[in-house]
Amino acid sequence: MSTTHIELRHLRLLQAVTEAGGMTAAAERLHLTQSAVSHQLKALEDALGLPLVERATRPLGLTAAGRRLLTLAHAALPQVDAALRDLAKLKDGDAGELRIAVECHTCYDWLMPAMDSYRDVWPGVELDLLGGFQADPVGLLLDGRADLVITSEAVPRAGVAYAPLFGFEMLALLPPDHPLATKKWLLPADFAGHTLITYPVPEDRLDLIRRVLAPAGIKPARREAQLTVAILQLVASRRGLAALPAWAVAPYLERGYIAARRIGKHGLWAELHVAVREADATRAYVADFIETVKRDSFARLPGIRPAIIAP
């Protein structure tokens, strides 16, 4: 068959299915329905006359034909994206400034590598991180003190545009030999009588307190620490419990330094979004920064899933 029947969307589809490990996760990442993903994949297989995925395996595996197309995707898609980026630079310019405010303390672990990747293709854009806790990070955009904010909530606001980054699970952390480690997941009452070790931020900015403990009437004592490693050390030393994103603690869990349990039977999930001024949302260097962060995050971080902004 002629290769003109293979379109870029087919390559992106196969890449998403492979990276996500299944149709449902790929559909979420591509912002399509699962049936649309299955239909497109089946249509491509019918056109080629070859199966591309081994549907009986979990996660989905690729056939020899699927692996060949994935190789093509890995070779072609970066070149296409680079060409589109160059065209955008010709149209909108290749210089600018991005002052970035970050609401999440643990974001720096994955944000810094993404910024390095971005600098390689946008050397003319000046990147700057705004330090310190911000009571109203999105408000910095409207005040002209920031150009991009990474935030946990996409609250509608005049003059502000949001883009979803990803969803992630918050895990309860405890010493490996803690009595609660025998449980499959923790309930609000399990935190009663324990010290909660957190970053130095208000309670209404902590998902565990705001969404789980406060509604159940649980108000544990708090101990604050500035650094993630300090929180983990305090947990390991039996000074209290904590809750952090799964990606932030994965290396410590692998070494058995701490233990982790889900918060509730289905877990406590949160999301991160990017906020920019509406006037800046279509700037090429702004849009590409968001795509770079999203792409690098899915490549680096375990256990994340697409975030959704409700209409």
Side-chain angles (χ1 to χ4, degrees):
M1 106 166 233
S2 170
T3 55
T4 55
H5 288 86
I6 298 176
E7 304 175 15
L8 291 177
R9 64 186 179 94
H10 294 144
L11 299 181
R12 296 191 191 279
L13 173 65
L14 189 63
Q15 188 176 63
V17 169
T18 304
E19 292 178 352
M23 300 290 188
T24 301
E28 292 177 344
R29 188 178 302 190
L30 295 170
H31 302 292
L32 297 171
T33 64
Q34 182 178 346
S35 61
V37 169
S38 297
H39 176 76
Q40 289 185 23
L41 184 59
K42 184 63 166 60
L44 178 59
E45 290 178 320
D46 290 344
L48 291 169
L50 288 167
L52 298 176
V53 300
E54 297 173 344
R55 289 172 171 77
T57 62
R58 292 292 182 274
L60 289 181
L62 294 182
T63 64
R67 291 193 296 273
R68 180 62 185 90
L69 276 190
L70 184 62
T71 299
L72 174 62
H74 288 161
L77 292 178
Q79 294 186 48
V80 171
D81 291 340
L84 293 174
R85 189 182 299 116
D86 289 341
L87 293 175
K89 290 178 182 178
L90 291 173
K91 178 183 178 182
D92 299 331
D94 61 357
E97 181 182 21
L98 277 178
R99 293 164 296 169
I100 304 166
V102 182
E103 183 181 290
C104 166
H105 279 71
T106 53
C107 288
Y108 296 101
D109 291 343
W110 51 263
L111 181 59
M112 301 300 285
M115 290 173 65
D116 290 339
S117 299
Y118 180 81
R119 285 190 183 96
D120 289 341
V121 295
W122 290 92
V125 176
E126 184 69 27
L127 298 178
D128 188 23
L129 282 171
L130 304 182
F133 171 76
Q134 306 292 339
D136 180 21
V138 176
L140 299 176
L141 297 173
L142 303 178
D143 293 342
R145 291 181 288 159
D147 304 299
L148 185 145
V149 173
I150 296 177
T151 178
S152 59
E153 295 184 328
V155 179
R157 202 159 178 173
V160 176
Y162 292 95
L165 283 181
F166 54 82
F168 60 95
E169 186 172 8
M170 297 287 294
L171 295 175
L173 308 177
L174 53 158
D177 60 348
H178 196 282
L180 290 175
T182 60
K183 304 189 66 170
K184 291 183 178 180
W185 60 80
L186 302 190
L187 299 175
D190 293 322
F191 291 88
H194 294 284
T195 298
L196 186 62
I197 304 167
T198 74
Y199 295 109
V201 299
E203 290 188 355
D204 61 2
R205 300 287 285 274
L206 295 170
D207 287 310
L208 175 61
I209 294 179
R210 178 171 57 88
R211 295 168 51 192
V212 177
L213 300 185
I218 306 297
K219 189 175 177 61
R222 282 180 64 191
R223 178 171 178 173
E224 297 179 349
Q226 290 278 356
L227 302 177
T228 301
V229 66
I231 292 177
L232 297 176
Q233 185 178 53
L234 288 169
V235 170
S237 302
R238 305 183 67 85
R239 298 298 190 271
L241 309 182
L244 291 175
W247 82 72
V249 299
Y252 300 91
L253 293 176
E254 292 173 0
R255 299 202 306 266
Y257 187 64
I258 53 171
R261 294 295 180 268
R262 305 195 86 173
I263 301 171
K265 183 176 181 179
H266 302 291
L268 174 61
W269 287 82
E271 293 187 342
L272 287 177
H273 308 274
V274 168
V276 297
R277 288 181 290 272
E278 285 184 344
D280 295 335
T282 58
R283 294 180 185 271
Y285 68 86
V286 174
D288 198 52
F289 181 84
I290 297 171
E291 288 305 310
T292 298
V293 170
K294 187 184 300 186
R295 182 178 61 249
D296 275 28
S297 298
F298 276 98
R300 297 174 186 274
L301 301 179
I304 65 174
R305 66 186 187 188
I308 299 173
I309 293 181

